[in-house]
Amino acid sequence: MNVLTDNFPTYWEGFLGTVQLTVYSSLLALVLGFVIASFRVAPVAALRFFGTAWVTVLRNTPLTLLFFAVLLGLPRFGLVLPFEVFAVLALGCYTSAFICEALRSGINTVPTGQGEAARSLGMNFRQTLSLVVLPQAFRSVIPPVGSTLIALAKNSAIAGAFSVTELLGTYKTINELGYNIVWTFVWIAAGYLVITLAISALFNLLERTWGVAR
Amino acid sequence: MTGAASALYDIPGPATRRRHVAYGVLSTVVLLALVAWILYLLFDTGQFTSTKWMPFAYKGIQELLLRGLGNTLKAFGIAAVLSLALGGLLATGRLSEHRPVRWAATFVVEFFRAMPVLVMIFFIFVALKVQPLPALVAGLTLYNGSVLAEVFRAGVNAVERGQKEAAFALGMRKTQVMTYVLVPQAVRAMLPAIISQLVVALKDTSLGYLITYEEFLHAGKLIASNLDYDLPFIPVVMVISPIYIGMCMLLSWFAGWVSRREQRSPKTEAVVIAAAGPGTLLPGGEPPTAPRP
C-alpha cells in the first residue's frame, strides 16, 4: 500500500500522462478516422484508393514499429517535436484506421432503401447524409468505436517504453527507489483498469442513450 | 461505387460522372504532390546516399536481420500454439456447468483482456525476472488466450440450439455433445476470427523489442544506430517495415479468404463470429476479418 502513498505524485503524473495521451490520440483518431472513412465511401476512385491503402497498411503495422519509425525516424527528417506530440501522432494515426473501419461498417448497416427514400422525397446529398444516413450510422457504431478507444488506451502503454511520461513508465522511477516491484505493478494495473472502465462506462451510457436495438 | 451499393449515392448521371472525373484528377494530383514532397524530403536529408544503404549488402548484416526475423517467427509460433491451448482451456472453463469454475475462468479472461499486453510483459520480465523470450511469449499467451477464449465461447454459442438439444436427446453426455457436435461445427465459423487474432499476436511480437528480445525490430535498431554507416535509420525502416507489414497483410488476407469461403459454403450457416474485443464489458464488436487494434 505504501508504494502508492509514498509515490503518489509519480503515479499521478503517469496517470495524467496516460489520460492526456488517450484523450488527444482519441480526438485525432476520431477526426482522421472520419475523414478516411468518407474517402473510402467517396465516389472518387483516387480517394477510395488512398483510404484503402491507409487502412490496409496501418491495420497491419505493428504499433511498436510505428512508434519506432515516428518517434525515432521523423527527427532524422529534421522534424523535431516533443515526444508527446509524436506519440499522439503515432497512436492517433494507427487507431484512425480502426475507427474508419468501424464508421464504414456503420454506414453500410444503413439500408439502401433509406437513402433512396430520402432522395425520392427530394432531399439533396447533404440532407440525405446529415438527416437520414449519418444519424442511423452513428447510433450503430457506438460499441465498436468504444472498444477501439479502449484498445487505444491500452496501446498507449507502448509510448511509456519510448520515454513518454505515462503510467507504465512510472515503474522505472519507483523501481529505482527500491519499492516492492509487484505492488508497483499492481497499482499500475489498477490505473489502467480505472481508465478502461471509465471509457467503457461512458460508451455504455452513450449506447443506452442513443444506441439502436436491432 | 459500383452500382448503388450504399445508401449514400444514386447511380451518377453524365454531368455527375464528369464532375467525379474532375475530382479524381484533382485528388490524384494532390496525392502525387504529397508523395513527391516526401521523396524530396528523403533526398534532401540524404537518405539515399550509398553509405546509408551499404550495410544491406553485407552478409553479416543480412544474417543479423534474418536471425531477428527467425526469432520473431519463433516467438509468434510458440505464442500462437500456447494461446490456442489456453483459449481452449479458458473457454471450457467459461462454458462449465460448475459455478466456481465458470467464475474463475470469467475472472481470468476479463482481467487479462483489460490489461495492456505490455504491462503483463513488463511485469513478467521485470518483476518475475524471466528471460525475454519466455516473458514475451507468456504475455502474448495470456492476452491472446483470453481473447481467443471469448471467440471460442461465441462460436460454440452460435451453433444452432437444436443441434445441442438433438444430441442430448440421443443420450449423449455433455462432453460428447461438445466434442462430437458443437465444437466441430463451431470451428468452421470461428476460423476467420481465430486467424485475425493471430495477426494481433504476430503484430505484438514486436513488443519484444522493448524488453530487449533479439527480434526483427531489435536487429533493425542495431543497424540503424551504427555510426560507420552514417546512422541509416530511414533505410532500415524502409527495409523492415514492408517485411513486417507484408507478413501481417498475408495473414489478414488469409483470414479474409477463409471467411469469404466459409460464407459461400452451404455446409456452414452464414454465422459470423465477431472478433472478441478488448476487455470492455461492452456489447458488440468489429467485423471478423479486422485485426484488433
Side-chain angles (χ1 to χ4, degrees):
Chain A
M1 189 67 210
N2 62 350
V3 180
L4 180 67
T5 43
D6 292 358
N7 297 293
F8 191 72
T10 315
Y11 269 120
W12 184 239
E13 203 189 346
F15 183 79
L16 282 186
T18 297
V19 170
Q20 246 172 31
L21 207 56
T22 308
V23 170
Y24 291 144
S25 315
S26 301
L27 290 178
L28 179 64
L30 286 172
V31 172
L32 261 181
F34 182 76
V35 172
I36 302 291
S38 51
F39 279 8
R40 288 206 71 175
V41 297
V44 181
L47 291 181
R48 277 209 303 279
F49 172 80
F50 177 74
T52 313
W54 177 275
V55 168
T56 316
V57 168
L58 280 173
R59 264 202 330 195
N60 289 298
T61 308
L63 187 53
T64 323
L65 175 66
L66 191 63
F67 267 102
F68 181 78
V70 169
L71 270 79
L72 308 177
L74 285 187
R76 303 289 165 88
F77 272 135
L79 183 63
V80 183
L81 291 170
F83 264 27
E84 282 77 9
V85 180
F86 277 140
V88 167
L89 216 59
L91 260 181
C93 288
Y94 178 76
T95 314
S96 75
F98 296 89
I99 297 274
C100 163
E101 286 308 90
L103 294 180
R104 197 169 67 101
S105 59
I107 291 176
N108 285 339
T109 60
V110 180
T112 321
Q114 297 279 338
E116 285 167 0
R119 281 193 292 275
S120 68
L121 285 176
M123 289 188 180
N124 60 25
F125 177 67
R126 205 180 51 76
Q127 287 170 320
T128 312
L129 195 65
S130 62
L131 297 176
V132 177
V133 176
L134 279 188
Q136 297 186 63
F138 166 69
R139 293 170 64 181
S140 67
V141 299
I142 297 172
V145 167
S147 45
T148 308
L149 293 186
I150 288 174
L152 184 151
K154 299 196 310 173
N155 283 334
S156 72
I158 299 178
F162 282 94
S163 52
V164 173
T165 310
E166 67 74 71
L167 195 50
L168 177 59
T170 56
Y171 93 89
K172 230 172 190 164
T173 327
I174 300 171
N175 196 18
E176 275 159 16
L177 296 173
Y179 283 93
N180 185 338
I181 190 78
V182 175
W183 277 103
T184 310
F185 271 98
V186 167
W187 292 114
I188 288 176
Y192 279 105
L193 277 185
V194 167
I195 294 172
T196 48
L197 287 179
I199 302 177
S200 182
L202 173 70
F203 274 83
N204 271 332
L205 189 72
L206 292 181
E207 167 82 4
R208 260 210 311 282
T209 325
W210 289 315
V212 259
R214 272 187 212 278
Chain B
M1 296 267 108
T2 44
S6 119
L8 291 179
Y9 303 103
D10 225 335
I11 297 167
T16 316
R17 269 206 297 273
R18 273 197 299 279
R19 216 176 56 221
H20 286 171
V21 170
Y23 290 155
V25 171
L26 190 70
S27 45
T28 312
V29 168
V30 171
L31 291 177
L32 285 180
L34 200 68
V35 172
W37 179 62
I38 292 172
L39 280 178
Y40 166 76
L41 273 183
L42 284 173
F43 273 106
D44 195 45
T45 48
Q47 304 301 338
F48 291 112
T49 54
S50 58
T51 1
K52 289 205 174 187
W53 286 84
M54 209 165 48
F56 297 106
Y58 292 126
K59 207 161 168 36
I61 286 195
Q62 287 166 0
E63 274 168 5
L64 180 73
L65 278 174
L66 274 182
R67 221 174 19 251
L69 191 58
N71 281 339
T72 290
L73 291 176
K74 188 165 100 187
F76 168 65
I78 305 175
V81 172
L82 291 180
S83 314
L84 287 170
L86 180 68
L89 194 72
L90 287 174
T92 317
R94 288 209 70 173
L95 291 165
S96 165
E97 273 167 3
H98 306 285
R99 221 172 272 167
V101 178
R102 209 161 59 218
W103 283 343
T106 308
F107 176 77
V108 170
V109 167
E110 291 301 335
F111 179 78
F112 286 116
R113 281 202 311 160
M115 271 298 108
V117 203
L118 193 59
V119 170
M120 291 183 250
I121 294 176
F122 266 61
F123 177 76
I124 298 168
F125 179 65
V126 178
L128 306 181
K129 297 198 174 52
V130 174
Q131 290 298 306
L133 175 64
L136 175 65
V137 167
L140 291 181
T141 301
L142 286 175
Y143 176 70
N144 292 298
S146 305
V147 177
L148 282 174
E150 285 300 274
V151 173
F152 293 158
R153 196 172 65 105
V156 169
N157 285 338
V159 177
E160 228 187 330
R161 252 176 71 113
Q163 298 281 339
K164 189 170 154 188
E165 285 165 2
F168 274 122
L170 287 174
M172 287 185 173
R173 278 179 288 109
K174 190 176 182 229
T175 318
Q176 289 176 312
V177 175
M178 272 292 181
T179 50
Y180 295 148
V181 180
L182 296 184
V183 173
Q185 296 188 66
V187 165
R188 299 191 60 142
M190 302 183 304
L191 212 52
I194 294 174
I195 302 172
S196 22
Q197 192 56 39
L198 292 184
V199 179
V200 179
L202 179 57
K203 278 166 45 172
D204 282 352
T205 52
S206 65
L207 293 172
Y209 163 72
L210 303 174
I211 55 165
T212 66
Y213 174 54
E214 289 172 352
E215 46 82 78
F216 199 39
L217 197 55
H218 188 266
K221 166 83 177 178
L222 278 186
I223 302 166
S225 46
N226 196 327
L227 268 174
D228 289 347
Y229 309 120
D230 194 19
L231 301 168
F233 196 91
I234 307 281
V236 163
V237 169
M238 282 166 135
V239 168
I240 63 174
S241 348
I243 299 177
Y244 251 126
I245 297 170
M247 288 192 302
C248 299
M249 262 162 85
L250 210 63
L251 206 51
S252 304
W253 171 84
F254 182 57
W257 181 77
V258 170
S259 143
R260 277 191 301 277
R261 220 181 60 131
E262 288 295 312
Q263 275 167 34
R264 262 191 278 120
S265 154
K267 281 188 195 160
T268 37
E269 314 154 60
V271 210
V272 175
I273 309 296
T280 61
L281 316 171
L282 272 169
E286 274 179 54
T289 52
R292 292 242 117 237

